[in-house]
Amino acid sequence: MNSRRNFIKKTTIAGAGISLLPGFTFGMNQSVDKLKIGMIGVGLRGTNHLNNLLLRDDVLITAICDIDPKRISLTLDALDKAGLKKPEVFGNNDFDYRNLLNLKAVDAVVISTPWLWHTRMAKDAMLAGKYTGLEVSAANTMEECWDLVNTHEQTGTHLMLLENVNYRRDIMAVLNMVKQNVFGETVHFRCGYQHDLRHVKFNDGKTAYGKGVEFGDKGISESKWRTQHSLLRNADVYPTHGIGPIAAMCNINRGNRFMSLTSNASKAVGLHDYIVKNAVENHPNAKLKFKQGDVITSTIETTNGETIIVTHDCNLPRPYSLGFRVQGTNGLWEDDGNRIYIEGKSDPHQWDTADDWLKKYDHPLWEKYGELASESGHGGMDFFVIHAFIESAKLNIAPPMDAYDAAAWSAITPLSELSIENNGEPQDFPDFTRGNWINRKSYNWIKDSY
Amino acid sequence: MNSRRNFIKKTTIAGAGISLLPGFTFGMNQSVDKLKIGMIGVGLRGTNHLNNLLLRDDVLITAICDIDPKRISLTLDALDKAGLKKPEVFGNNDFDYRNLLNLKAVDAVVISTPWLWHTRMAKDAMLAGKYTGLEVSAANTMEECWDLVNTHEQTGTHLMLLENVNYRRDIMAVLNMVKQNVFGETVHFRCGYQHDLRHVKFNDGKTAYGKGVEFGDKGISESKWRTQHSLLRNADVYPTHGIGPIAAMCNINRGNRFMSLTSNASKAVGLHDYIVKNAVENHPNAKLKFKQGDVITSTIETTNGETIIVTHDCNLPRPYSLGFRVQGTNGLWEDDGNRIYIEGKSDPHQWDTADDWLKKYDHPLWEKYGELASESGHGGMDFFVIHAFIESAKLNIAPPMDAYDAAAWSAITPLSELSIENNGEPQDFPDFTRGNWINRKSYNWIKDSY
């Protein structure tokens, strides 16, 4: 272990070495056949990842951890039914995951826990030398963003942010179009998380997405922890589904970076309105003042002169949309309306439906794995994000979305909070690469096999 | 004249008196049958207004002014063909419009000139006691915004901003829905001017919207004056088509007001790219550095806690869209995609196409005049804005979009310029009503007959 650590430290100091070193064999075991995975958190999200892992023949689930015995029991049943060896089980207390991290029989971990545990678990995992897969969002505070980067640099252990939307079929086709210069020089982007989560933030304490207006101790599943963020933080607390795909398209941390951000929040009335509409009269939750503005709009400027609008819109009734727009000197794609206009190709001033364009530029990965992926969650995205994680971990090379990306994308949360609190005052992004973004090479999203 | 002025000054001091006083007979002539109109500017836009005025039997065109003899000649021909009396003609020099304003035979003026003339002409018109119709945008600087308000208050003469988009059929239906609380409490709005103007900003000096990359002295029509604003100002120079309809929906200056704004501009590459693509090699215009960012995004906060995103996107290839969104606690309308979602009415998480909703809430004015309006320009909007102007002028009462609105909406230009120049620093809106917005009554967009 020491020699690897030392080697990696040296290349870190030398520059972008780690990220590009191919075929570096994994961890202590020079002859890994199957990658041994520890699952930290096997709630709804972790189980989804588990199901995708079970489809593969190159991994073993050697350990699981959850503080909820019901989730452990469900997971053991599933593994047993799949005819797999019983994994080691952890979850006796909040920090039992550290015992999982001490296992030699774990090469890599997948962390799918409540947000406040993400960074501390990922940090511990990297310190333990485990290739780390971390669910979104990665960090809650600026200090946590730095923790991810600094721990990666200190240990040489890789972190992959498991942002599935980067693998959405239309997103990858549009990324392909960007790389092939179909839009010309990129100028402006839009994205966000526009998802009515009222039925997720509240339930009746019995079913995850049922009726009811309870949360926290009286709620179950996500309402147990997620709603508290809406109650106390006026910030874009969930930026990565939107910003991840856009960051890939404009090479953030790889020749470009986020420079500054302004954020503005609308009033916060949606969650109160939901409680009043769905609760018995005089329910105590109807008296709560939620801090999170219903629609939070952040505008980011990049060093390359693009602007990116990021929206967080989760407390009002609305159909789901991530609201992407990709715009350049030749034309633009808009997710809403499913439309594309490319000058000289489209009829003047008329939208094309995006379908033919997306088909023409379908990503090689989707062409190859699309059918297999369709069995997976979230329209196939979940297959690809796990695939990329496993393939990167097997080679122990830098993943497509690394610690620097996790930090830069998640930094939107604390920066938006500060900006909103200060009337939209612009906030500077830290340069998590410590200047290296000018040298770091673009991840090859198109030609790499994951 | 003096007695009217004195009366008006008194009511101004007393409060919102002027705006609400109904049936005040016009000007000096207590028995006006037909409203006598002076046209200042009879270019393409002024001619459009003229054609709408000629459809009416309650107006006379008594004077026209334009410094371009060709436009005068075309206009005189049109009036002659319509069998109308020859109007008095002005245009010998840039300030000949002041001689038009001195005519007793002019009750009201319609100003359709290049932007830099808007405020100064409107101010002179109010000082001359003429009911003033002013094309958009109203003002270029903050000082000019105040000029409009102060001159209105000083003279008691009304100014109407001729913002036609406030009369678009879907906009008025959605306004109707807002007023009937269909969207619940309003939270968030989007709007803007997303219009590929490259073929307007440049031409060959022969045809207005032809090919070519000339502007200024070598261009004709709008390219003669409009492009200079793109060359030297990094600002949203044309905000009113977007913000006008939204301001009406959220009662700006009438129980609500714009508080602050942040603006960010993307890089400016679109106009240069257009020149390079369309000019002969080494054309001198290919060396110009345009200051106006291709996509300018402003986020406004209102005192009532709504956020409004205003986009200016005129230098890149794209189909036209004003990109409206109106969102509240019950649901939302999106212009792009022509869709509406109202909780409890729409299928859960599914968009309705907007058509049925817009038909159901069709505005009474459109029901009444829709057929007539369809002969008019811009899909009928131009009929209604002129109709409102003439009906307001005949009664000499405050118009739907007055000097305070003109100032607040146009203030986006200088405020966005300052914010952009200062990295997105928030800028406060002046309170052009001097505090009166807390008392000013909402204009009755639904029930009034114009």
Side-chain angles (χ1 to χ4, degrees):
Chain A
M1 187 63 112
N2 278 340
S3 65
R4 186 173 74 93
R5 288 244 173 109
N6 289 339
F7 170 78
I8 285 168
K9 275 186 189 161
K10 228 165 101 189
T11 56
T12 303
I13 290 156
I18 319 175
S19 308
L20 298 167
L21 198 73
F24 193 71
T25 50
F26 188 82
M28 301 195 64
N29 186 339
Q30 299 284 322
S31 60
V32 170
D33 287 318
K34 299 204 177 195
L35 193 75
K36 297 189 280 294
I37 311 275
M39 304 293 297
I40 301 180
V42 285
L44 296 177
R45 186 68 189 137
T47 300
N48 191 296
H49 286 315
L50 183 68
N51 291 337
N52 278 303
L53 289 165
L54 295 182
L55 296 173
R56 305 180 65 97
D57 59 7
D58 55 356
V59 300
L60 285 178
I61 308 299
T62 53
I64 63 172
C65 178
D66 205 296
I67 55 166
D68 181 349
K70 274 183 261 169
R71 300 304 309 181
I72 290 286
S73 157
L74 283 167
T75 306
L76 290 177
D77 284 354
L79 292 171
D80 189 49
K81 272 185 194 156
L84 297 172
K85 198 180 151 191
K86 190 185 169 193
E88 293 209 50
V89 172
F90 301 87
N92 287 332
N93 60 64
D94 281 349
F95 290 90
D96 205 13
Y97 73 89
R98 287 178 174 165
N99 295 314
L100 180 151
L101 293 174
N102 283 334
L103 293 181
K104 284 193 180 174
V106 168
D107 302 317
V109 294
V110 174
I111 300 169
S112 314
T113 52
W115 297 339
L116 291 178
W117 286 98
H118 280 188
T119 301
R120 59 191 76 209
M121 286 173 166
K123 189 177 158 186
D124 286 343
M126 285 188 276
L127 287 168
K130 311 302 184 190
Y131 200 103
T132 303
L134 178 59
E135 256 302 329
V136 299
S137 181
N140 303 278
T141 68
M142 193 57 79
E143 180 70 24
E144 285 197 328
C145 292
W146 277 114
D147 282 350
L148 294 173
V149 165
N150 290 339
T151 310
H152 162 65
E153 295 196 345
Q154 174 196 339
T155 61
T157 310
H158 291 296
L159 170 82
M160 176 166 165
L161 188 65
L162 301 175
E163 178 45 67
N164 60 357
V165 181
N166 280 53
Y167 293 93
R168 213 170 80 173
R169 192 164 202 158
D170 58 346
I171 289 291
M172 294 196 87
V174 170
L175 177 66
N176 199 358
M177 292 174 73
V178 169
K179 298 292 180 189
Q180 294 193 42
N181 206 36
V182 177
F183 298 106
E185 182 175 352
T186 54
V187 172
H188 181 67
F189 300 91
R190 295 188 179 188
C191 62
Y193 193 62
Q194 303 182 124
H195 190 186
D196 177 1
L197 292 177
R198 296 171 305 155
H199 62 294
V200 173
K201 293 185 180 181
F202 302 104
N203 55 44
D204 59 4
K206 292 168 204 154
T207 46
Y209 306 135
K211 291 188 175 176
V213 299
E214 304 296 347
F215 69 98
D217 289 342
K218 294 187 176 174
I220 64 159
S221 194
E222 284 177 76
S223 78
K224 234 180 162 49
W225 54 268
R226 187 171 191 153
T227 316
Q228 196 70 10
H229 294 262
S230 308
L231 183 64
L232 294 180
R233 297 192 74 180
N234 200 358
D236 181 340
V237 295
Y238 205 54
T240 70
H241 288 326
I243 200 64
I246 300 302
M249 291 178 199
C250 59
N251 290 317
I252 294 303
N253 297 328
R254 296 166 178 81
N256 196 8
R257 80 174 186 92
F258 300 143
M259 279 299 276
S260 66
L261 157 159
T262 64
S263 293
N264 299 78
S266 75
K267 64 179 112 180
V269 293
L271 298 181
H272 171 76
D273 181 75
Y274 183 79
I275 291 168
V276 169
K277 280 176 180 165
N278 290 281
V280 295
E281 213 171 329
N282 295 323
H283 191 287
N285 287 354
K287 285 183 194 137
L288 294 172
K289 299 250 182 215
F290 289 86
K291 278 201 82 173
Q292 186 184 73
D294 293 333
V295 182
I296 292 172
T297 310
S298 304
T299 306
I300 296 173
E301 294 190 8
T302 70
T303 52
N304 285 354
E306 295 110 342
T307 48
I308 307 169
I309 303 178
V310 189
T311 306
H312 184 273
D313 170 4
C314 302
N315 302 333
L316 297 169
R318 61 158 299 140
Y320 178 88
S321 168
L322 300 190
F324 288 106
R325 186 204 283 194
V326 173
Q327 185 168 17
T329 51
N330 292 349
L332 74 167
W333 168 58
E334 289 189 350
D335 185 7
D336 291 332
N338 185 41
R339 58 198 196 175
I340 285 178
Y341 177 80
I342 303 295
E343 189 169 38
K345 306 278 184 181
S346 310
D347 290 340
H349 304 288
Q350 298 296 319
W351 293 102
D352 295 330
T353 59
D355 298 348
D356 287 347
W357 286 98
L358 299 178
K359 207 168 171 184
K360 180 174 176 191
Y361 288 93
D362 196 24
H363 194 283
L365 272 180
W366 269 94
E367 286 181 358
K368 186 170 175 187
Y369 293 110
E371 212 165 318
L372 187 62
S374 63
E375 297 169 29
S376 159
H378 290 108
M381 305 187 293
D382 290 345
F383 165 83
F384 287 103
V385 73
I386 283 296
H387 182 60
F389 172 67
I390 297 300
E391 296 299 331
S392 304
K394 278 156 60 182
L395 297 170
N396 193 28
I397 58 172
M401 305 175 279
D402 64 13
Y404 304 102
D405 300 320
W409 306 357
S410 297
I412 292 170
T413 298
L415 292 177
S416 66
E417 193 168 38
L418 264 175
S419 183
I420 289 166
E421 184 64 24
N422 290 285
N423 192 34
E425 193 83 13
Q427 307 294 320
D428 293 335
F429 276 82
D431 177 359
F432 293 106
T433 70
R434 292 181 166 91
N436 258 330
W437 65 274
I438 64 171
N439 289 323
R440 279 166 52 94
K441 299 237 171 72
S442 174
Y443 178 80
N444 195 337
W445 284 93
I446 305 306
K447 291 201 182 141
D448 275 357
S449 57
Y450 51 88
Chain B
M1 187 63 110
N2 276 341
S3 65
R4 185 173 76 92
R5 289 244 173 107
N6 289 339
F7 171 77
I8 285 167
K9 275 186 187 161
K10 226 165 103 188
T11 56
T12 304
I13 291 156
I18 317 173
S19 307
L20 299 167
L21 197 75
F24 193 72
T25 50
F26 187 82
M28 300 195 65
N29 186 339
Q30 300 284 323
S31 58
V32 171
D33 286 319
K34 298 202 177 195
L35 192 74
K36 296 189 281 294
I37 312 276
M39 304 294 296
I40 301 179
V42 285
L44 295 177
R45 187 67 190 136
T47 299
N48 191 296
H49 286 315
L50 184 67
N51 291 338
N52 277 305
L53 289 165
L54 295 182
L55 296 173
R56 304 180 64 98
D57 59 8
D58 55 356
V59 299
L60 285 177
I61 308 299
T62 54
I64 63 173
C65 177
D66 205 295
I67 55 167
D68 182 347
K70 274 184 260 168
R71 298 305 311 180
I72 291 286
S73 158
L74 282 166
T75 306
L76 290 177
D77 284 355
L79 293 172
D80 189 49
K81 271 185 195 156
L84 297 173
K85 198 178 153 194
K86 189 185 170 193
E88 292 210 49
V89 172
F90 301 86
N92 287 332
N93 61 64
D94 281 349
F95 290 91
D96 207 13
Y97 74 88
R98 286 178 173 166
N99 295 315
L100 180 152
L101 293 174
N102 282 334
L103 293 181
K104 285 193 179 173
V106 168
D107 301 317
V109 294
V110 174
I111 300 169
S112 313
T113 53
W115 296 341
L116 291 177
W117 287 97
H118 280 187
T119 301
R120 58 190 76 211
M121 285 174 168
K123 190 177 158 185
D124 286 343
M126 285 187 277
L127 287 168
K130 311 302 185 188
Y131 201 103
T132 303
L134 178 60
E135 257 303 329
V136 299
S137 183
N140 302 278
T141 68
M142 193 57 79
E143 180 71 22
E144 284 196 330
C145 293
W146 277 114
D147 282 350
L148 294 173
V149 165
N150 290 340
T151 310
H152 162 65
E153 294 195 345
Q154 174 197 338
T155 60
T157 309
H158 290 297
L159 170 82
M160 176 166 165
L161 188 65
L162 301 176
E163 178 44 68
N164 60 356
V165 181
N166 279 53
Y167 292 93
R168 215 171 78 172
R169 193 164 202 157
D170 59 345
I171 288 292
M172 294 196 88
V174 171
L175 176 66
N176 198 359
M177 292 174 73
V178 169
K179 298 293 180 189
Q180 294 193 42
N181 205 38
V182 176
F183 298 106
E185 182 175 351
T186 55
V187 171
H188 181 66
F189 300 91
R190 295 190 180 188
C191 61
Y193 193 62
Q194 302 181 125
H195 190 185
D196 178 0
L197 292 178
R198 296 171 305 156
H199 61 294
V200 173
K201 292 185 179 180
F202 301 104
N203 55 43
D204 58 5
K206 292 169 203 154
T207 45
Y209 305 135
K211 291 187 174 178
V213 299
E214 303 297 346
F215 69 98
D217 289 342
K218 292 186 176 176
I220 64 157
S221 195
E222 284 177 76
S223 78
K224 231 178 164 50
W225 55 268
R226 187 172 190 152
T227 315
Q228 195 70 12
H229 294 263
S230 308
L231 183 64
L232 294 180
R233 299 192 74 180
N234 199 0
D236 181 341
V237 295
Y238 204 54
T240 69
H241 288 324
I243 200 63
I246 300 302
M249 290 177 199
C250 59
N251 290 316
I252 294 304
N253 297 327
R254 296 166 178 79
N256 196 7
R257 79 175 188 89
F258 299 143
M259 277 298 277
S260 66
L261 159 157
T262 63
S263 293
N264 299 78
S266 76
K267 65 179 111 180
V269 292
L271 298 182
H272 171 76
D273 181 75
Y274 183 79
I275 291 168
V276 169
K277 281 175 181 165
N278 291 280
V280 294
E281 214 172 328
N282 295 322
H283 191 287
N285 286 354
K287 286 185 194 136
L288 294 172
K289 299 250 181 215
F290 289 86
K291 279 202 80 173
Q292 185 183 75
D294 293 333
V295 181
I296 292 172
T297 309
S298 305
T299 305
I300 296 174
E301 294 191 7
T302 69
T303 52
N304 286 354
E306 296 110 340
T307 48
I308 307 168
I309 302 178
V310 189
T311 307
H312 184 272
D313 170 5
C314 302
N315 303 334
L316 297 169
R318 61 159 299 140
Y320 178 89
S321 167
L322 300 189
F324 288 106
R325 185 204 282 194
V326 173
Q327 186 168 18
T329 51
N330 292 349
L332 73 167
W333 167 60
E334 289 188 352
D335 186 8
D336 291 332
N338 184 41
R339 57 198 196 174
I340 285 178
Y341 177 79
I342 303 295
E343 189 170 38
K345 306 278 183 182
S346 309
D347 290 340
H349 303 288
Q350 298 296 320
W351 292 103
D352 296 329
T353 59
D355 297 347
D356 287 347
W357 286 99
L358 298 178
K359 206 169 171 185
K360 180 176 174 187
Y361 288 93
D362 196 25
H363 193 283
L365 272 180
W366 270 95
E367 287 181 355
K368 187 170 174 187
Y369 292 111
E371 212 164 318
L372 187 61
S374 64
E375 298 169 29
S376 158
H378 289 108
M381 305 188 293
D382 290 346
F383 165 84
F384 287 104
V385 73
I386 284 296
H387 182 61
F389 173 66
I390 297 300
E391 296 299 330
S392 304
K394 277 157 60 181
L395 297 171
N396 193 29
I397 59 172
M401 304 174 280
D402 63 15
Y404 303 102
D405 301 319
W409 305 356
S410 297
I412 292 170
T413 297
L415 291 177
S416 67
E417 192 168 40
L418 264 176
S419 182
I420 289 167
E421 184 64 24
N422 291 284
N423 192 34
E425 192 84 13
Q427 306 294 320
D428 293 335
F429 276 84
D431 177 0
F432 293 106
T433 70
R434 293 183 165 90
N436 258 330
W437 66 273
I438 65 171
N439 289 325
R440 279 166 52 94
K441 299 236 171 73
S442 173
Y443 177 78
N444 195 336
W445 284 93
I446 306 305
K447 292 202 180 138
D448 275 358
S449 56
Y450 51 87

